[in-house]
PDB file of all heavy atoms in Angstrom:
ATOM      1  N   ARG A1207       1.019  -0.986  14.859  1.00  0.00           N
ATOM      2  CA  ARG A1207       1.957  -2.103  15.135  1.00  0.00           C
ATOM      3  C   ARG A1207       3.413  -1.608  15.261  1.00  0.00           C
ATOM      4  O   ARG A1207       4.259  -2.440  15.620  1.00  0.00           O
ATOM      5  CB  ARG A1207       1.910  -3.057  13.960  1.00  0.00           C
ATOM      6  CG  ARG A1207       0.466  -3.653  13.694  1.00  0.00           C
ATOM      7  CD  ARG A1207      -0.155  -4.432  14.757  1.00  0.00           C
ATOM      8  NE  ARG A1207      -1.425  -4.867  14.441  1.00  0.00           N
ATOM      9  CZ  ARG A1207      -2.364  -5.075  15.371  1.00  0.00           C
ATOM     10  NH1 ARG A1207      -2.107  -4.984  16.651  1.00  0.00           N
ATOM     11  NH2 ARG A1207      -3.605  -5.468  14.999  1.00  0.00           N
ATOM     12  N   PHE A1208       3.658  -0.326  15.058  1.00  0.00           N
ATOM     13  CA  PHE A1208       5.014   0.155  15.119  1.00  0.00           C
ATOM     14  C   PHE A1208       5.331   0.715  16.536  1.00  0.00           C
ATOM     15  O   PHE A1208       4.424   1.185  17.222  1.00  0.00           O
ATOM     16  CB  PHE A1208       5.262   1.269  14.095  1.00  0.00           C
ATOM     17  CG  PHE A1208       5.475   0.806  12.686  1.00  0.00           C
ATOM     18  CD1 PHE A1208       4.342   0.551  11.898  1.00  0.00           C
ATOM     19  CD2 PHE A1208       6.704   0.548  12.168  1.00  0.00           C
ATOM     20  CE1 PHE A1208       4.506   0.079  10.590  1.00  0.00           C
ATOM     21  CE2 PHE A1208       6.859   0.090  10.915  1.00  0.00           C
ATOM     22  CZ  PHE A1208       5.807  -0.164  10.122  1.00  0.00           C
ATOM     23  N   PHE A1209       6.626   0.537  16.895  1.00  0.00           N
ATOM     24  CA  PHE A1209       7.064   0.972  18.216  1.00  0.00           C
ATOM     25  C   PHE A1209       7.376   2.470  18.260  1.00  0.00           C
ATOM     26  O   PHE A1209       7.508   3.054  19.294  1.00  0.00           O
ATOM     27  CB  PHE A1209       8.238   0.132  18.718  1.00  0.00           C
ATOM     28  CG  PHE A1209       7.916  -1.302  18.929  1.00  0.00           C
ATOM     29  CD1 PHE A1209       8.404  -2.284  18.054  1.00  0.00           C
ATOM     30  CD2 PHE A1209       7.095  -1.696  19.923  1.00  0.00           C
ATOM     31  CE1 PHE A1209       8.119  -3.659  18.262  1.00  0.00           C
ATOM     32  CE2 PHE A1209       6.737  -3.056  20.137  1.00  0.00           C
ATOM     33  CZ  PHE A1209       7.274  -4.000  19.301  1.00  0.00           C
ATOM     34  N   SER A1210       7.603   3.097  17.153  1.00  0.00           N
ATOM     35  CA  SER A1210       7.914   4.469  17.016  1.00  0.00           C
ATOM     36  C   SER A1210       7.251   5.180  15.852  1.00  0.00           C
ATOM     37  O   SER A1210       7.040   4.522  14.771  1.00  0.00           O
ATOM     38  CB  SER A1210       9.403   4.713  16.932  1.00  0.00           C
ATOM     39  OG  SER A1210       9.931   4.472  15.638  1.00  0.00           O
ATOM     40  N   GLU A1211       6.880   6.347  15.925  1.00  0.00           N
ATOM     41  CA  GLU A1211       6.256   7.185  14.909  1.00  0.00           C
ATOM     42  C   GLU A1211       7.239   7.334  13.707  1.00  0.00           C
ATOM     43  O   GLU A1211       6.779   7.318  12.564  1.00  0.00           O
ATOM     44  CB  GLU A1211       5.800   8.565  15.400  1.00  0.00           C
ATOM     45  CG  GLU A1211       5.044   9.374  14.433  1.00  0.00           C
ATOM     46  CD  GLU A1211       3.657   8.856  14.125  1.00  0.00           C
ATOM     47  OE1 GLU A1211       3.205   7.943  14.791  1.00  0.00           O
ATOM     48  OE2 GLU A1211       2.940   9.499  13.197  1.00  0.00           O
ATOM     49  N   ASP A1212       8.493   7.470  14.024  1.00  0.00           N
ATOM     50  CA  ASP A1212       9.496   7.651  12.906  1.00  0.00           C
ATOM     51  C   ASP A1212       9.527   6.409  12.047  1.00  0.00           C
ATOM     52  O   ASP A1212       9.633   6.534  10.801  1.00  0.00           O
ATOM     53  CB  ASP A1212      10.819   7.968  13.490  1.00  0.00           C
ATOM     54  CG  ASP A1212      10.949   9.281  14.169  1.00  0.00           C
ATOM     55  OD1 ASP A1212      10.097  10.133  13.812  1.00  0.00           O
ATOM     56  OD2 ASP A1212      11.902   9.572  14.874  1.00  0.00           O
ATOM     57  N   GLU A1213       9.456   5.233  12.651  1.00  0.00           N
ATOM     58  CA  GLU A1213       9.513   4.051  11.782  1.00  0.00           C
ATOM     59  C   GLU A1213       8.264   3.909  10.938  1.00  0.00           C
ATOM     60  O   GLU A1213       8.312   3.483   9.759  1.00  0.00           O
ATOM     61  CB  GLU A1213       9.614   2.813  12.730  1.00  0.00           C
ATOM     62  CG  GLU A1213      11.027   2.452  13.202  1.00  0.00           C
ATOM     63  CD  GLU A1213      11.913   2.091  12.074  1.00  0.00           C
ATOM     64  OE1 GLU A1213      11.630   1.131  11.280  1.00  0.00           O
ATOM     65  OE2 GLU A1213      12.940   2.836  11.836  1.00  0.00           O
ATOM     66  N   TYR A1214       7.112   4.262  11.519  1.00  0.00           N
ATOM     67  CA  TYR A1214       5.904   4.208  10.681  1.00  0.00           C
ATOM     68  C   TYR A1214       5.951   5.231   9.540  1.00  0.00           C
ATOM     69  O   TYR A1214       5.639   4.869   8.429  1.00  0.00           O
ATOM     70  CB  TYR A1214       4.710   4.571  11.624  1.00  0.00           C
ATOM     71  CG  TYR A1214       3.444   4.937  10.793  1.00  0.00           C
ATOM     72  CD1 TYR A1214       2.760   3.906  10.135  1.00  0.00           C
ATOM     73  CD2 TYR A1214       2.953   6.247  10.618  1.00  0.00           C
ATOM     74  CE1 TYR A1214       1.600   4.204   9.384  1.00  0.00           C
ATOM     75  CE2 TYR A1214       1.839   6.528   9.917  1.00  0.00           C
ATOM     76  CZ  TYR A1214       1.184   5.496   9.257  1.00  0.00           C
ATOM     77  OH  TYR A1214       0.095   5.786   8.517  1.00  0.00           O
ATOM     78  N   LEU A1215       6.411   6.461   9.788  1.00  0.00           N
ATOM     79  CA  LEU A1215       6.462   7.455   8.775  1.00  0.00           C
ATOM     80  C   LEU A1215       7.445   7.059   7.646  1.00  0.00           C
ATOM     81  O   LEU A1215       7.223   7.359   6.474  1.00  0.00           O
ATOM     82  CB  LEU A1215       6.844   8.774   9.366  1.00  0.00           C
ATOM     83  CG  LEU A1215       5.760   9.434  10.295  1.00  0.00           C
ATOM     84  CD1 LEU A1215       6.343  10.715  10.977  1.00  0.00           C
ATOM     85  CD2 LEU A1215       4.570   9.738   9.501  1.00  0.00           C
ATOM     86  N   LYS A1216       8.477   6.306   8.053  1.00  0.00           N
ATOM     87  CA  LYS A1216       9.492   5.849   7.077  1.00  0.00           C
ATOM     88  C   LYS A1216       8.917   4.932   6.016  1.00  0.00           C
ATOM     89  O   LYS A1216       9.267   4.922   4.858  1.00  0.00           O
ATOM     90  CB  LYS A1216      10.570   5.103   7.825  1.00  0.00           C
ATOM     91  CG  LYS A1216      11.737   4.583   6.927  1.00  0.00           C
ATOM     92  CD  LYS A1216      12.762   3.849   7.788  1.00  0.00           C
ATOM     93  CE  LYS A1216      13.798   3.130   6.919  1.00  0.00           C
ATOM     94  NZ  LYS A1216      14.746   2.416   7.808  1.00  0.00           N
ATOM     95  N   HIS A1217       7.914   4.109   6.427  1.00  0.00           N
ATOM     96  CA  HIS A1217       7.372   3.101   5.590  1.00  0.00           C
ATOM     97  C   HIS A1217       5.977   3.340   5.033  1.00  0.00           C
ATOM     98  O   HIS A1217       5.509   2.615   4.136  1.00  0.00           O
ATOM     99  CB  HIS A1217       7.400   1.763   6.343  1.00  0.00           C
ATOM    100  CG  HIS A1217       8.769   1.216   6.654  1.00  0.00           C
ATOM    101  ND1 HIS A1217       9.692   0.932   5.770  1.00  0.00           N
ATOM    102  CD2 HIS A1217       9.298   1.078   7.913  1.00  0.00           C
ATOM    103  CE1 HIS A1217      10.782   0.552   6.356  1.00  0.00           C
ATOM    104  NE2 HIS A1217      10.588   0.630   7.681  1.00  0.00           N
ATOM    105  N   LYS A1218       5.231   4.341   5.591  1.00  0.00           N
ATOM    106  CA  LYS A1218       3.859   4.395   5.307  1.00  0.00           C
ATOM    107  C   LYS A1218       3.438   4.605   3.796  1.00  0.00           C
ATOM    108  O   LYS A1218       2.383   4.211   3.410  1.00  0.00           O
ATOM    109  CB  LYS A1218       3.180   5.530   6.121  1.00  0.00           C
ATOM    110  CG  LYS A1218       3.520   6.946   5.652  1.00  0.00           C
ATOM    111  CD  LYS A1218       2.776   7.946   6.626  1.00  0.00           C
ATOM    112  CE  LYS A1218       3.030   9.359   6.141  1.00  0.00           C
ATOM    113  NZ  LYS A1218       2.169   9.621   4.954  1.00  0.00           N
ATOM    114  N   ASP A1219       4.367   5.155   3.041  1.00  0.00           N
ATOM    115  CA  ASP A1219       4.073   5.383   1.610  1.00  0.00           C
ATOM    116  C   ASP A1219       4.932   4.455   0.711  1.00  0.00           C
ATOM    117  O   ASP A1219       5.200   4.780  -0.432  1.00  0.00           O
ATOM    118  CB  ASP A1219       4.303   6.836   1.238  1.00  0.00           C
ATOM    119  CG  ASP A1219       3.338   7.788   1.925  1.00  0.00           C
ATOM    120  OD1 ASP A1219       2.231   7.416   2.187  1.00  0.00           O
ATOM    121  OD2 ASP A1219       3.795   8.922   2.264  1.00  0.00           O
ATOM    122  N   ALA A1220       5.373   3.317   1.354  1.00  0.00           N
ATOM    123  CA  ALA A1220       6.263   2.437   0.600  1.00  0.00           C
ATOM    124  C   ALA A1220       5.678   1.945  -0.707  1.00  0.00           C
ATOM    125  O   ALA A1220       6.396   1.836  -1.749  1.00  0.00           O
ATOM    126  CB  ALA A1220       6.651   1.261   1.464  1.00  0.00           C
ATOM    127  N   PHE A1221       4.325   1.625  -0.717  1.00  0.00           N
ATOM    128  CA  PHE A1221       3.787   1.058  -1.933  1.00  0.00           C
ATOM    129  C   PHE A1221       2.335   1.599  -2.073  1.00  0.00           C
ATOM    130  O   PHE A1221       1.538   1.470  -1.153  1.00  0.00           O
ATOM    131  CB  PHE A1221       3.646  -0.475  -1.866  1.00  0.00           C
ATOM    132  CG  PHE A1221       4.963  -1.154  -1.829  1.00  0.00           C
ATOM    133  CD1 PHE A1221       5.493  -1.621  -0.623  1.00  0.00           C
ATOM    134  CD2 PHE A1221       5.751  -1.301  -3.006  1.00  0.00           C
ATOM    135  CE1 PHE A1221       6.726  -2.263  -0.604  1.00  0.00           C
ATOM    136  CE2 PHE A1221       6.929  -1.935  -2.974  1.00  0.00           C
ATOM    137  CZ  PHE A1221       7.502  -2.369  -1.802  1.00  0.00           C
ATOM    138  N   ILE A1222       2.134   2.354  -3.188  1.00  0.00           N
ATOM    139  CA  ILE A1222       0.791   2.930  -3.476  1.00  0.00           C
ATOM    140  C   ILE A1222       0.427   2.390  -4.836  1.00  0.00           C
ATOM    141  O   ILE A1222       1.091   2.635  -5.827  1.00  0.00           O
ATOM    142  CB  ILE A1222       0.883   4.430  -3.418  1.00  0.00           C
ATOM    143  CG1 ILE A1222       1.250   4.986  -2.025  1.00  0.00           C
ATOM    144  CG2 ILE A1222      -0.453   5.052  -3.846  1.00  0.00           C
ATOM    145  CD1 ILE A1222       1.489   6.448  -1.944  1.00  0.00           C
ATOM    146  N   LEU A1223      -0.725   1.759  -4.880  1.00  0.00           N
ATOM    147  CA  LEU A1223      -1.290   1.263  -6.129  1.00  0.00           C
ATOM    148  C   LEU A1223      -2.223   2.350  -6.766  1.00  0.00           C
ATOM    149  O   LEU A1223      -3.112   2.781  -6.171  1.00  0.00           O
ATOM    150  CB  LEU A1223      -2.146  -0.034  -5.830  1.00  0.00           C
ATOM    151  CG  LEU A1223      -2.763  -0.679  -7.057  1.00  0.00           C
ATOM    152  CD1 LEU A1223      -1.684  -1.262  -7.959  1.00  0.00           C
ATOM    153  CD2 LEU A1223      -3.770  -1.777  -6.633  1.00  0.00           C
ATOM    154  N   ASP A1224      -1.864   2.611  -7.995  1.00  0.00           N
ATOM    155  CA  ASP A1224      -2.671   3.644  -8.781  1.00  0.00           C
ATOM    156  C   ASP A1224      -2.904   2.994 -10.134  1.00  0.00           C
ATOM    157  O   ASP A1224      -2.423   1.931 -10.489  1.00  0.00           O
ATOM    158  CB  ASP A1224      -1.943   4.946  -8.845  1.00  0.00           C
ATOM    159  CG  ASP A1224      -0.507   4.870  -9.406  1.00  0.00           C
ATOM    160  OD1 ASP A1224      -0.272   4.028 -10.188  1.00  0.00           O
ATOM    161  OD2 ASP A1224       0.266   5.730  -9.087  1.00  0.00           O
ATOM    162  N   THR A1225      -3.654   3.753 -10.983  1.00  0.00           N
ATOM    163  CA  THR A1225      -4.002   3.223 -12.293  1.00  0.00           C
ATOM    164  C   THR A1225      -2.861   3.006 -13.193  1.00  0.00           C
ATOM    165  O   THR A1225      -2.836   2.157 -14.081  1.00  0.00           O
ATOM    166  CB  THR A1225      -5.132   4.132 -12.953  1.00  0.00           C
ATOM    167  OG1 THR A1225      -4.596   5.477 -12.930  1.00  0.00           O
ATOM    168  CG2 THR A1225      -6.394   4.038 -12.190  1.00  0.00           C
ATOM    169  N   ASP A1226      -1.844   3.812 -13.062  1.00  0.00           N
ATOM    170  CA  ASP A1226      -0.594   3.702 -13.873  1.00  0.00           C
ATOM    171  C   ASP A1226       0.076   2.327 -13.690  1.00  0.00           C
ATOM    172  O   ASP A1226       0.501   1.676 -14.615  1.00  0.00           O
ATOM    173  CB  ASP A1226       0.371   4.846 -13.643  1.00  0.00           C
ATOM    174  CG  ASP A1226      -0.014   6.141 -14.251  1.00  0.00           C
ATOM    175  OD1 ASP A1226      -0.872   6.032 -15.205  1.00  0.00           O
ATOM    176  OD2 ASP A1226       0.453   7.146 -13.866  1.00  0.00           O
ATOM    177  N   LYS A1227       0.154   1.915 -12.427  1.00  0.00           N
ATOM    178  CA  LYS A1227       0.804   0.643 -12.084  1.00  0.00           C
ATOM    179  C   LYS A1227       0.007  -0.539 -12.601  1.00  0.00           C
ATOM    180  O   LYS A1227       0.505  -1.671 -12.652  1.00  0.00           O
ATOM    181  CB  LYS A1227       1.030   0.541 -10.605  1.00  0.00           C
ATOM    182  CG  LYS A1227       2.020   1.560  -9.999  1.00  0.00           C
ATOM    183  CD  LYS A1227       2.390   1.242  -8.583  1.00  0.00           C
ATOM    184  CE  LYS A1227       3.459   2.178  -8.003  1.00  0.00           C
ATOM    185  NZ  LYS A1227       2.956   3.562  -7.858  1.00  0.00           N
ATOM    186  N   LEU A1228      -1.284  -0.308 -12.895  1.00  0.00           N
ATOM    187  CA  LEU A1228      -2.101  -1.491 -13.346  1.00  0.00           C
ATOM    188  C   LEU A1228      -2.093  -1.625 -14.881  1.00  0.00           C
ATOM    189  O   LEU A1228      -2.726  -2.573 -15.375  1.00  0.00           O
ATOM    190  CB  LEU A1228      -3.547  -1.203 -12.856  1.00  0.00           C
ATOM    191  CG  LEU A1228      -3.746  -1.449 -11.404  1.00  0.00           C
ATOM    192  CD1 LEU A1228      -5.209  -0.901 -10.991  1.00  0.00           C
ATOM    193  CD2 LEU A1228      -3.653  -2.886 -11.010  1.00  0.00           C
ATOM    194  N   LYS A1229      -1.381  -0.764 -15.597  1.00  0.00           N
ATOM    195  CA  LYS A1229      -1.327  -0.828 -17.013  1.00  0.00           C
ATOM    196  C   LYS A1229      -0.829  -2.122 -17.617  1.00  0.00           C
ATOM    197  O   LYS A1229      -1.204  -2.601 -18.621  1.00  0.00           O
ATOM    198  CB  LYS A1229      -0.604   0.361 -17.618  1.00  0.00           C
ATOM    199  CG  LYS A1229      -1.349   1.652 -17.442  1.00  0.00           C
ATOM    200  CD  LYS A1229      -0.543   2.824 -18.005  1.00  0.00           C
ATOM    201  CE  LYS A1229      -1.353   4.165 -17.902  1.00  0.00           C
ATOM    202  NZ  LYS A1229      -0.487   5.321 -18.342  1.00  0.00           N
ATOM    203  N   THR A1230       0.107  -2.728 -16.848  1.00  0.00           N
ATOM    204  CA  THR A1230       0.725  -3.949 -17.284  1.00  0.00           C
ATOM    205  C   THR A1230       0.098  -5.209 -16.651  1.00  0.00           C
ATOM    206  O   THR A1230       0.538  -6.357 -16.861  1.00  0.00           O
ATOM    207  CB  THR A1230       2.224  -3.981 -17.004  1.00  0.00           C
ATOM    208  OG1 THR A1230       2.393  -3.885 -15.597  1.00  0.00           O
ATOM    209  CG2 THR A1230       2.926  -2.856 -17.713  1.00  0.00           C
ATOM    210  N   ALA A1231      -0.937  -4.993 -15.814  1.00  0.00           N
ATOM    211  CA  ALA A1231      -1.545  -6.110 -15.135  1.00  0.00           C
ATOM    212  C   ALA A1231      -2.507  -6.940 -16.028  1.00  0.00           C
ATOM    213  O   ALA A1231      -2.974  -6.470 -17.059  1.00  0.00           O
ATOM    214  CB  ALA A1231      -2.343  -5.573 -13.920  1.00  0.00           C
ATOM    215  N   LYS A1232      -2.766  -8.155 -15.625  1.00  0.00           N
ATOM    216  CA  LYS A1232      -3.665  -8.991 -16.427  1.00  0.00           C
ATOM    217  C   LYS A1232      -5.071  -8.373 -16.458  1.00  0.00           C
ATOM    218  O   LYS A1232      -5.482  -7.730 -15.490  1.00  0.00           O
ATOM    219  CB  LYS A1232      -3.708 -10.386 -15.785  1.00  0.00           C
ATOM    220  CG  LYS A1232      -2.428 -11.210 -15.928  1.00  0.00           C
ATOM    221  CD  LYS A1232      -2.583 -12.570 -15.347  1.00  0.00           C
ATOM    222  CE  LYS A1232      -1.328 -13.423 -15.470  1.00  0.00           C
ATOM    223  NZ  LYS A1232      -1.435 -14.744 -14.917  1.00  0.00           N
ATOM    224  N   ALA A1233      -5.809  -8.681 -17.546  1.00  0.00           N
ATOM    225  CA  ALA A1233      -7.133  -8.107 -17.641  1.00  0.00           C
ATOM    226  C   ALA A1233      -8.089  -8.722 -16.600  1.00  0.00           C
ATOM    227  O   ALA A1233      -9.091  -8.045 -16.250  1.00  0.00           O
ATOM    228  CB  ALA A1233      -7.705  -8.454 -19.008  1.00  0.00           C
ATOM    229  N   ASP A1234      -7.750  -9.900 -16.105  1.00  0.00           N
ATOM    230  CA  ASP A1234      -8.647 -10.515 -15.133  1.00  0.00           C
ATOM    231  C   ASP A1234      -7.975 -10.593 -13.704  1.00  0.00           C
ATOM    232  O   ASP A1234      -8.327 -11.384 -12.827  1.00  0.00           O
ATOM    233  CB  ASP A1234      -9.024 -11.972 -15.487  1.00  0.00           C
ATOM    234  CG  ASP A1234      -7.800 -12.923 -15.603  1.00  0.00           C
ATOM    235  OD1 ASP A1234      -6.699 -12.364 -15.637  1.00  0.00           O
ATOM    236  OD2 ASP A1234      -8.032 -14.103 -15.637  1.00  0.00           O
ATOM    237  N   LEU A1235      -7.006  -9.664 -13.469  1.00  0.00           N
ATOM    238  CA  LEU A1235      -6.419  -9.512 -12.184  1.00  0.00           C
ATOM    239  C   LEU A1235      -7.557  -9.287 -11.107  1.00  0.00           C
ATOM    240  O   LEU A1235      -8.508  -8.531 -11.386  1.00  0.00           O
ATOM    241  CB  LEU A1235      -5.426  -8.368 -12.147  1.00  0.00           C
ATOM    242  CG  LEU A1235      -4.806  -7.988 -10.746  1.00  0.00           C
ATOM    243  CD1 LEU A1235      -3.935  -9.035 -10.243  1.00  0.00           C
ATOM    244  CD2 LEU A1235      -4.120  -6.632 -10.864  1.00  0.00           C
ATOM    245  N   THR A1236      -7.404  -9.879  -9.946  1.00  0.00           N
ATOM    246  CA  THR A1236      -8.337  -9.554  -8.798  1.00  0.00           C
ATOM    247  C   THR A1236      -7.569  -8.752  -7.758  1.00  0.00           C
ATOM    248  O   THR A1236      -6.568  -9.240  -7.221  1.00  0.00           O
ATOM    249  CB  THR A1236      -8.852 -10.870  -8.175  1.00  0.00           C
ATOM    250  OG1 THR A1236      -9.625 -11.531  -9.120  1.00  0.00           O
ATOM    251  CG2 THR A1236      -9.740 -10.515  -6.962  1.00  0.00           C
ATOM    252  N   ILE A1237      -8.013  -7.507  -7.571  1.00  0.00           N
ATOM    253  CA  ILE A1237      -7.351  -6.662  -6.562  1.00  0.00           C
ATOM    254  C   ILE A1237      -8.126  -6.753  -5.269  1.00  0.00           C
ATOM    255  O   ILE A1237      -9.271  -6.466  -5.192  1.00  0.00           O
ATOM    256  CB  ILE A1237      -7.303  -5.191  -7.085  1.00  0.00           C
ATOM    257  CG1 ILE A1237      -6.601  -5.092  -8.458  1.00  0.00           C
ATOM    258  CG2 ILE A1237      -6.546  -4.337  -6.029  1.00  0.00           C
ATOM    259  CD1 ILE A1237      -6.815  -3.708  -9.094  1.00  0.00           C
ATOM    260  N   MET A1238      -7.346  -7.035  -4.219  1.00  0.00           N
ATOM    261  CA  MET A1238      -8.023  -7.200  -2.901  1.00  0.00           C
ATOM    262  C   MET A1238      -7.309  -6.361  -1.823  1.00  0.00           C
ATOM    263  O   MET A1238      -6.172  -5.947  -1.999  1.00  0.00           O
ATOM    264  CB  MET A1238      -7.960  -8.745  -2.482  1.00  0.00           C
ATOM    265  CG  MET A1238      -8.685  -9.586  -3.471  1.00  0.00           C
ATOM    266  SD  MET A1238      -8.483 -11.400  -3.131  1.00  0.00           S
ATOM    267  CE  MET A1238      -9.239 -11.565  -1.528  1.00  0.00           C
ATOM    268  N   HIS A1239      -8.039  -6.123  -0.776  1.00  0.00           N
ATOM    269  CA  HIS A1239      -7.481  -5.381   0.423  1.00  0.00           C
ATOM    270  C   HIS A1239      -8.432  -5.651   1.587  1.00  0.00           C
ATOM    271  O   HIS A1239      -9.679  -5.627   1.431  1.00  0.00           O
ATOM    272  CB  HIS A1239      -7.530  -3.841   0.105  1.00  0.00           C
ATOM    273  CG  HIS A1239      -6.724  -3.031   1.088  1.00  0.00           C
ATOM    274  ND1 HIS A1239      -7.037  -3.037   2.402  1.00  0.00           N
ATOM    275  CD2 HIS A1239      -5.807  -2.188   0.949  1.00  0.00           C
ATOM    276  CE1 HIS A1239      -6.159  -2.207   3.033  1.00  0.00           C
ATOM    277  NE2 HIS A1239      -5.398  -1.671   2.150  1.00  0.00           N
ATOM    278  N   PRO A1240      -7.878  -6.060   2.796  1.00  0.00           N
ATOM    279  CA  PRO A1240      -8.725  -6.364   3.905  1.00  0.00           C
ATOM    280  C   PRO A1240      -9.439  -5.159   4.525  1.00  0.00           C
ATOM    281  O   PRO A1240     -10.333  -5.321   5.265  1.00  0.00           O
ATOM    282  CB  PRO A1240      -7.725  -7.007   4.910  1.00  0.00           C
ATOM    283  CG  PRO A1240      -6.415  -6.400   4.579  1.00  0.00           C
ATOM    284  CD  PRO A1240      -6.454  -6.234   3.070  1.00  0.00           C
ATOM    285  N   LEU A1241      -8.941  -3.930   4.138  1.00  0.00           N
ATOM    286  CA  LEU A1241      -9.484  -2.709   4.629  1.00  0.00           C
ATOM    287  C   LEU A1241      -9.320  -2.620   6.173  1.00  0.00           C
ATOM    288  O   LEU A1241      -9.243  -3.578   6.848  1.00  0.00           O
ATOM    289  CB  LEU A1241     -10.947  -2.495   4.270  1.00  0.00           C
ATOM    290  CG  LEU A1241     -11.257  -2.568   2.679  1.00  0.00           C
ATOM    291  CD1 LEU A1241     -12.736  -2.439   2.457  1.00  0.00           C
ATOM    292  CD2 LEU A1241     -10.522  -1.450   1.989  1.00  0.00           C
ATOM    293  N   PRO A1242      -9.241  -1.391   6.760  1.00  0.00           N
ATOM    294  CA  PRO A1242      -9.362  -0.126   6.067  1.00  0.00           C
ATOM    295  C   PRO A1242      -8.119   0.274   5.283  1.00  0.00           C
ATOM    296  O   PRO A1242      -6.992  -0.205   5.687  1.00  0.00           O
ATOM    297  CB  PRO A1242      -9.560   0.846   7.258  1.00  0.00           C
ATOM    298  CG  PRO A1242      -8.709   0.205   8.398  1.00  0.00           C
ATOM    299  CD  PRO A1242      -9.025  -1.281   8.195  1.00  0.00           C
ATOM    300  N   ARG A1243      -8.239   1.048   4.319  1.00  0.00           N
ATOM    301  CA  ARG A1243      -7.093   1.543   3.560  1.00  0.00           C
ATOM    302  C   ARG A1243      -6.823   2.996   4.057  1.00  0.00           C
ATOM    303  O   ARG A1243      -7.686   3.634   4.582  1.00  0.00           O
ATOM    304  CB  ARG A1243      -7.342   1.582   2.066  1.00  0.00           C
ATOM    305  CG  ARG A1243      -8.369   2.581   1.617  1.00  0.00           C
ATOM    306  CD  ARG A1243      -8.468   2.706   0.147  1.00  0.00           C
ATOM    307  NE  ARG A1243      -9.714   3.280  -0.304  1.00  0.00           N
ATOM    308  CZ  ARG A1243     -10.173   3.424  -1.595  1.00  0.00           C
ATOM    309  NH1 ARG A1243      -9.386   2.926  -2.554  1.00  0.00           N
ATOM    310  NH2 ARG A1243     -11.242   3.975  -1.836  1.00  0.00           N
ATOM    311  N   VAL A1244      -5.585   3.409   3.805  1.00  0.00           N
ATOM    312  CA  VAL A1244      -5.228   4.810   4.123  1.00  0.00           C
ATOM    313  C   VAL A1244      -4.976   5.462   2.761  1.00  0.00           C
ATOM    314  O   VAL A1244      -5.828   6.104   2.230  1.00  0.00           O
ATOM    315  CB  VAL A1244      -3.993   4.879   5.031  1.00  0.00           C
ATOM    316  CG1 VAL A1244      -3.608   6.371   5.336  1.00  0.00           C
ATOM    317  CG2 VAL A1244      -4.329   4.142   6.403  1.00  0.00           C
TER     318      VAL A1244
END
């Protein structure tokens, strides 16, 4: 969806969900993703 590779590279790692970030999440949180993931 990006018009330039530079713009894509600038944002591609903006948000990465890992187990550390989930430590404060609710026990019944539902994590979703339409896939594919990178």
Side-chain angles (χ1 to χ4, degrees):
R1207 305 295 177 207
F1208 283 85
F1209 296 110
S1210 76
E1211 184 71 6
D1212 288 344
E1213 277 297 301
Y1214 166 72
L1215 293 173
K1216 176 182 174 183
H1217 296 296
K1218 74 180 184 71
D1219 296 326
F1221 298 100
I1222 297 176
L1223 180 66
D1224 56 29
T1225 53
D1226 282 342
K1227 292 187 178 72
L1228 287 169
K1229 287 178 179 177
T1230 60
K1232 291 181 178 180
D1234 64 346
L1235 173 70
T1236 297
I1237 305 168
M1238 299 172 64
H1239 191 304
L1241 303 176
R1243 68 172 162 188
V1244 181

